[in-house]
Amino acid sequence: MTISVVRSPQTKPLPDSKDLGFGRYFADHMFLMNYDEQNGWHDPRVVPYHSFNMDPANLTLHYGQTIFEGLKAFRWQDGSVNIFRAKDHIERFRRSAERLCMPLPDADVLFEAFKLLVDVDRNSVPAQRGTALYLRPTMIATDDALGVRPSGSYLLYIIASPVGSYYTKGLAPTRILVEERFSRATIGGLGEAKTGANYAASLLAAKEAKSRGFDQVLWLDAKTHSLAEEVGTMNIFFVLNNVLVTPPLGGTILDGITRRSVIALAEEWGIPVEERPVAMSELVTAYDNGTLQEVFGSGTAAVISPVGELFYHDRALTIEEPANSLRERFYNAISAIQYGEIPDYHGWITPVPAIANGHAKELETALPDDGTAQA
Ligand code: COI
């Protein structure tokens, strides 16, 4: 399968690094590929960024059959551009597709699509440390119908956004409300899939927490509301008596790629790691006896984010980050790998070669339309 390229006649200037924020600006191009039962996946293409025309009966809009991913490309000091853990994100995207009854896109096509899109939008990769080009692969159902069923046709697209910090406060410690009423995900539900429904389920709790002065919520298990699961949109880690502890994956928790990176580094550094249930009662006891040393969240968007307070049962458990914290060590090591400052002995980095120029020439004639294909 060859990916065609049509370049945008206009290019937007890259905003100043300090103004980027998260997901506010978009690169000039996007990747698209269609699926239908007759043709399978077909027509992969990089085209100018554009809006979609959608029928009001589009299945995604009604029943939420949609998945996404989030990964980043980094500009290194030598000017090269490199994507972090692309293959892991592809594998997770395919698992989400399976859970949402969607057709699996070919992993190699997606891998080529990431590299080609980033190459075409190379000028949108910001250079400052702490910034990146965030890629958002997304798949939506495209049948127009009101019966509840899996769609027969789909659109896969990838957009790219030059980003800075996810949180406006940067790496300042967050105040977290332990959420005991609402649940993010249940056993047998969608929690492990990267799908809009999980984020929709989180909005009201986050809104109420913010109105009370908190930054986010700590999600507990839906059955007993006693076990820590995730923090906001991130995986959660605790340092308890010098052991790195994180809740186990079991269907309700997202299998975070940054979570995997943290665990891999800890194991290499000889830090004991436990993936096991973490009860709020255990955290309170550890807090009281001084063994709750650190709490932090991990995710692609914010990387590693320190938790400064857990508010639980009318009590603020305030966590003072120690000097030389593990959180800082993980943040520094992951960032150093992402920005090419230390060698990538894990095979997490995909360099983005300059491939698009010849490609565009060769393939433009093969394009079936003007690039503004309908959703
Ligand atoms: C991430 O941490 O990468 C996330 O999943 C957050 C994203 C939905 C903005």
Side-chain angles (χ1 to χ4, degrees):
M1 204 184 271
T2 349
I3 306 173
S4 61
V5 178
V6 171
R7 283 180 180 271
S8 169
Q10 290 116 19
T11 55
K12 292 187 288 288
L14 189 60
D16 202 89
S17 282
K18 65 175 181 354
D19 301 327
L20 285 173
F22 184 85
R24 290 163 49 201
Y25 301 97
F26 295 95
D28 295 318
H29 299 86
M30 67 198 300
F31 170 85
L32 296 171
M33 179 163 70
N34 298 83
Y35 175 92
D36 60 50
E37 279 156 356
Q38 250 185 347
N39 302 302
W41 284 109
H42 60 278
D43 201 9
R45 55 208 186 273
V46 170
V47 295
Y49 189 99
H50 63 269
S51 311
F52 298 143
N53 284 323
M54 273 195 156
D55 192 287
N58 170 280
L59 271 180
T60 305
L61 301 180
H62 297 269
Y63 307 126
Q65 198 192 8
T66 174
I67 58 166
F68 69 93
E69 262 306 318
L71 67 162
K72 284 175 170 171
F74 297 87
R75 188 177 291 283
W76 290 7
Q77 282 269 305
D78 64 4
S80 68
V81 172
N82 299 273
I83 308 176
F84 187 67
R85 302 201 70 164
K87 291 198 168 165
D88 298 288
H89 285 278
I90 290 171
E91 174 225 313
R92 192 173 65 181
F93 190 65
R94 283 163 50 92
R95 274 196 281 134
S96 297
E98 213 164 7
R99 180 63 183 87
L100 272 287
C101 284
M102 294 170 127
L104 270 57
D106 186 275
D108 294 335
V109 172
L110 277 185
F111 190 56
E112 290 311 310
F114 288 168
K115 288 189 285 180
L116 189 58
L117 179 64
V118 174
D119 184 34
V120 172
D121 278 325
R122 191 173 285 269
N123 290 341
S124 296
V125 188
Q128 185 112 350
R129 210 172 189 287
T131 66
L133 185 68
Y134 181 81
L135 302 181
R136 174 51 68 89
T138 307
M139 200 200 301
I140 58 171
T142 51
D143 277 7
D144 303 323
L146 294 185
V148 178
R149 59 164 173 81
S151 182
S153 65
Y154 296 87
L155 176 73
L156 189 159
Y157 63 89
I158 308 170
I159 51 176
S161 172
V163 296
S165 305
Y166 184 71
Y167 288 114
T168 43
K169 290 182 2 185
L171 279 179
T174 47
R175 291 188 65 210
I176 302 295
L177 175 68
V178 180
E179 177 56 63
E180 292 184 88
R181 275 190 310 149
F182 298 114
S183 302
R184 174 188 170 275
T186 54
I187 294 165
L190 295 173
E192 201 175 36
K194 211 149 170 74
T195 182
N198 287 325
Y199 298 82
S202 76
L203 296 177
L204 185 56
K207 182 178 161 196
E208 292 189 1
K210 276 178 193 150
S211 74
R212 294 175 57 188
F214 297 96
D215 297 298
Q216 256 302 349
V217 298
L218 177 71
W219 294 107
L220 303 178
D221 70 293
K223 198 166 168 198
T224 67
H225 275 133
S226 66
L227 305 171
E229 290 214 325
E230 290 195 9
V231 59
T233 61
M234 293 194 278
N235 294 119
I236 182 99
F237 282 91
F238 305 95
V239 182
L240 286 161
N241 213 7
N242 301 318
V243 178
L244 183 69
V245 184
T246 193
L249 305 176
T252 57
I253 293 178
L254 188 81
D255 179 3
I257 309 295
T258 312
R259 178 185 182 278
R260 289 192 213 170
S261 306
V262 167
I263 293 172
L265 290 171
E267 284 170 349
E268 284 161 31
W269 295 343
I271 293 162
V273 183
E274 292 177 3
E275 289 182 64
R276 60 160 177 85
V278 184
M280 281 311 300
S281 56
E282 177 187 358
L283 294 176
V284 173
T285 306
Y287 179 77
D288 286 336
N289 66 27
T291 53
L292 177 59
Q293 294 154 307
E294 292 184 48
V295 183
F296 55 86
S298 72
T300 297
V303 194
I304 309 277
S305 176
V307 170
E309 176 186 324
L310 289 176
F311 192 82
Y312 181 61
H313 287 178
D314 293 327
R315 192 172 167 207
L317 315 182
T318 48
I319 300 114
E320 283 285 328
E321 187 168 278
N324 305 318
S325 65
L326 269 184
R327 190 229 23 108
E328 198 177 5
R329 228 179 130 189
F330 288 125
Y331 178 81
N332 289 342
I334 292 172
S335 302
I337 297 169
Q338 291 175 330
Y339 289 98
E341 294 157 1
I342 57 173
D344 166 38
Y345 46 85
H346 300 94
W348 288 345
I349 296 295
T350 299
V352 177
I355 39 180
N357 279 338
H359 205 94
K361 238 185 168 31
E362 179 193 331
L363 293 161
E364 253 165 43
T365 46
L367 203 77
D369 58 24
D370 64 355
T372 53
Q374 61 168 55

